[in-house]
Amino acid sequence: MDNAYHQVAPMVSAPRGRTKVEHFVPEEGVGVCTKEIDFVVDNGSIDYVNFCGGCEGNLKAIAAMIEGMNVDFVLDRFSGITCGSKSTSCMDQFCHALQAYKAKQQS
C-alpha cells in the first residue's frame, strides 16, 4: 500500500492563517500509534506540527521542541528512531512525511 501523503486545505484544527497544511497518514501496518500528522514547512523550517493519536504529552512536547527547526536538522536527528520492538516510531513516521514533502518540492 502506498503511503497516503497529500496536501489538503486547512482543517478546522489547523492553525489560523496557515494555508499549506501538509497531511500525512502512516502506512497501515507499521504499528505506530499516530494515525495522522499535519504539518507546515515555511522556508525550510517546521512552522507547525500536530500528531493525531499516540502518546499525547510526549508528542506535544516533541512538536513544541521541533517547531522552528530546520527540516534537514530534524531529519538528521530523528530519522530511524524506533519505539520498543517496532521498526519505526511516531517521530520516524514524521521524518518519512518530511522526506516525502521534500521529494514533492524538488519535482
Side-chain angles (χ1 to χ4, degrees):
M1 173 181 217
D2 286 342
N3 219 352
Y5 173 82
H6 57 279
Q7 184 174 331
V8 295
M11 300 181 330
V12 175
S13 62
R16 180 173 240 144
R18 296 204 171 113
T19 58
K20 283 190 86 175
V21 175
E22 303 292 328
H23 183 74
F24 179 83
V25 177
E27 189 173 325
E28 200 171 313
V30 296
V32 295
C33 298
T34 293
K35 301 304 176 207
E36 299 177 3
I37 305 169
D38 292 322
F39 64 99
V40 174
V41 175
D42 186 29
N43 293 323
S45 294
I46 297 164
D47 190 42
Y48 166 80
V49 62
N50 182 61
F51 296 88
C52 180
C55 303
E56 185 179 2
N58 289 335
L59 292 172
K60 280 182 180 178
I62 290 170
M65 179 179 65
I66 65 174
E67 285 178 2
M69 288 186 175
N70 179 276
V71 168
D72 291 325
F73 180 81
V74 170
L75 287 170
D76 287 343
R77 287 289 173 120
F78 297 102
S79 288
I81 289 179
T82 60
C83 182
S85 62
K86 300 172 187 170
S87 63
T88 189
S89 65
C90 295
M91 193 60 199
D92 183 53
Q93 287 298 300
F94 178 56
C95 289
H96 286 258
L98 290 175
Q99 290 166 340
Y101 170 81
K102 284 182 64 172
K104 182 179 171 185
Q105 297 305 304
Q106 293 172 352
S107 59

